[in-house]
Amino acid sequence: MSLFDTRVPAVLLRIDRNPFHHGTLGAVRSLGRAGVDVHVVADCAGSPVRTSRFVRQLHPPPGPDASLDDIAAALLRVAAGIARPAVLIPMDDAGAIAVGRLDEALAPAYLLPAPPAGLPERVADKAELAAVCAALGLPHPRTTVPDSAEQAAAAAWRLGLPVVAKWSRPWLLPTGTGLRSTALVRSTQEARELYERSGEAGSRLLLQEFLPPGPDRDWFFHGYADRSGAVRAGGPGRKLHSWPRAAGLTAVGAWTPNPEVRALAERLVGELGYRGILDLDFRRCGATGRYHLLDFNPRPGAQFRLFADSAGLDVVRAAHLDLTHRPLPDGAPRPGRAFVVENYAPLTALRPAAAGRELAWHARDDLAPGLAMSALWSRHVLRRLRGRLRRRATAVTPPRVPLVRQAPPVEPGPVEVPGPLGAPGLPGDEKDEKAGSL
């Protein structure tokens, strides 16, 4: 008999447009392999996710600028088509926050965890998270939320350059502005200029003490807080490689026992009364050895499948079992297990893994997404390369301005014929030599 109540489907919600979000595919496969019908509410038109054999049905997502009412209407339309209660799992911060605000409207149609009102939005907000850590006495990088461009410059100097700049609500960043959710600021002028773009970003700028990366310093914790508040499934993991390098998403991660990280995660969940899936990011300070909480994401992390234990339990399966009042199996951890996003770490994906490994895209029982990703990623890379070559080819070199010196008149003499271009003695040789040495 299946552990799962397969009469109850799952609905995955993703508002952010990202065709390469492998976490969504991981959730589709995890629940689909358990016999659960999986419905996906996301923009999958250009995504490998749509090709997975475990997708029961794709549904159009709310628009990029959808209101809460629009999101509720889209989810209730899906629920009406399914015609029975479903487990709803948001796959990004914007979705998690919307569902948290809409819990009363969605409750008749969906099975949802019950965190304290407004808590998912509070912990996802980077500025609010700093206040939460200060109130609970949890290690967190020193953080300032400036009220003016001058305050931003002063704070950057006081914290010690370089500093980390974050937009407190990155899910509100509009596309096409060039703004990144997190950036390293190296001067007070950069801090001032970034603050002046707050109106474009849609949320507050915060400046944070920079904790340098290094070996064994970047950690994460994934888990599911059940109806009783116990943290189930998941575990602590170490980020071995990231993309972009030293920042960004986990390209290669390993399940690594760490009692201190686990204790911090369980303490945070207990003191806040959090319920549901969580993804925490930590960085260990090289000077003090303390683990500082950097991010609290109230949804599955993209690499959550790293923590599939000996019973096959992961955070999305834990959510489905708990919300359908089924017991969660007691599996054993699998330390050393690796997770690799092969489009960001192709060489690692080819190496043997003694303790076991899961790839983000390729799977023997679901071949189409991996093949689709390879084709899509190749086109993406070629487009980027062509764009760079085009920009280089059309770059305009500033014209040289000849230096004219006033010289006394000389007597006419024999006329010299210049040698080949670049021969000694011709004007411009000094510039060419300097340019070649850059």
Side-chain angles (χ1 to χ4, degrees), residues 272-295:
L272 294 178
Y274 183 82
R275 300 292 184 271
I277 299 173
L278 62 136
D279 165 26
L280 310 177
D281 287 323
F282 294 89
R283 177 164 287 178
R284 183 174 61 83
C285 176
T288 66
R290 303 179 77 194
Y291 292 89
H292 292 245
L293 180 65
L294 302 183
D295 287 310

Side-chain angles (χ1 to χ4, degrees), residues 139-184:
H140 186 76
R142 288 183 300 146
T143 301
T144 298
V145 183
D147 290 326
S148 67
E150 291 307 315
Q151 282 190 20
W157 182 261
R158 187 172 61 254
L159 289 169
L161 294 166
V163 297
V164 177
K166 295 181 178 181
W167 299 107
S168 63
R169 298 188 166 202
W171 60 90
L172 296 180
L173 281 174
T175 57
T177 62
L179 291 172
R180 297 178 62 87
S181 60
T182 303
L184 197 62

Side-chain angles (χ1 to χ4, degrees), residues 2-354:
S2 173
L3 289 172
F4 294 83
D5 187 344
T6 55
R7 298 169 299 175
V8 180
V11 174
L12 307 180
L13 169 67
R14 183 168 180 83
I15 294 175
D16 181 35
R17 267 58 176 164
N18 180 3
F20 297 112
H21 189 257
H22 49 274
T24 302
L25 178 61
V28 166
R29 285 173 169 166
S30 180
L31 293 168
R33 287 168 178 152
V36 175
D37 284 347
V38 183
H39 296 254
V40 180
V41 184
D43 182 7
C44 292
S47 172
V49 173
R50 67 189 301 275
T51 67
S52 173
R53 72 184 186 89
F54 295 110
V55 172
R56 177 70 176 82
Q57 190 173 350
L58 293 171
H59 303 268
D65 300 317
S67 66
L68 281 177
D69 289 342
D70 294 334
I71 295 170
L75 290 172
L76 291 174
R77 278 196 301 271
V78 173
I82 295 173
R84 58 189 186 277
V87 170
L88 177 59
I89 301 178
M91 297 302 301
D92 61 356
D93 288 341
I97 289 160
V99 170
R101 290 185 182 182
L102 295 167
D103 57 349
E104 290 187 12
L106 298 176
Y110 290 102
L111 305 179
L112 303 167
L119 184 57
E121 186 169 3
R122 186 180 173 205
V123 296
D125 186 305
K126 313 301 182 187
E128 293 291 335
L129 181 63
V132 167
C133 290
L136 299 180
L138 288 171
H140 186 76
R142 288 183 300 146
T143 301
T144 298
V145 183
D147 290 326
S148 67
E150 291 307 315
Q151 282 190 20
W157 182 261
R158 187 172 61 254
L159 289 169
L161 294 166
V163 297
V164 177
K166 295 181 178 181
W167 299 107
S168 63
R169 298 188 166 202
W171 60 90
L172 296 180
L173 281 174
T175 57
T177 62
L179 291 172
R180 297 178 62 87
S181 60
T182 303
L184 197 62
V185 170
R186 301 182 183 276
S187 70
T188 56
Q189 182 60 26
E190 282 186 47
R192 185 181 290 109
E193 291 172 355
L194 200 55
Y195 180 88
E196 289 171 348
R197 301 188 67 182
S198 298
E200 298 174 66
S203 66
R204 296 178 292 173
L205 177 72
L206 61 92
L207 298 175
Q208 199 170 79
E209 175 188 15
F210 175 61
L211 300 177
D216 199 37
R217 291 191 186 177
D218 286 319
W219 292 76
F220 47 86
F221 184 92
H222 294 194
Y224 174 75
D226 67 15
R227 285 171 290 124
S228 70
V231 178
R232 309 292 302 273
R238 190 158 55 96
K239 186 182 291 190
L240 303 180
H241 298 290
S242 59
W243 185 266
R245 191 169 295 179
L249 61 82
T250 299
V252 182
W255 191 341
T256 308
N258 190 321
E260 191 171 351
V261 168
R262 175 174 284 280
L264 286 170
E266 290 178 345
R267 180 186 163 198
L268 184 62
V269 167
E271 298 207 31
L272 294 178
Y274 183 82
R275 300 292 184 271
I277 299 173
L278 62 136
D279 165 26
L280 310 177
D281 287 323
F282 294 89
R283 177 164 287 178
R284 183 174 61 83
C285 176
T288 66
R290 303 179 77 194
Y291 292 89
H292 292 245
L293 180 65
L294 302 183
D295 287 310
F296 188 134
N297 302 301
R299 40 79 179 168
Q303 73 275 23
F304 79 91
R305 280 293 301 167
L306 170 64
F307 301 106
D309 65 17
S310 62
L313 189 68
D314 59 35
V315 295
V316 299
R317 288 187 173 190
H320 194 280
L321 289 168
D322 184 57
L323 294 172
T324 56
H325 296 261
R326 292 295 184 103
L328 276 63
D330 293 320
R334 300 164 69 186
R337 188 169 190 263
F339 183 85
V340 181
V341 186
E342 54 270 44
N343 49 317
Y344 297 120
L347 295 180
T348 305
L350 296 174
R351 296 189 188 112

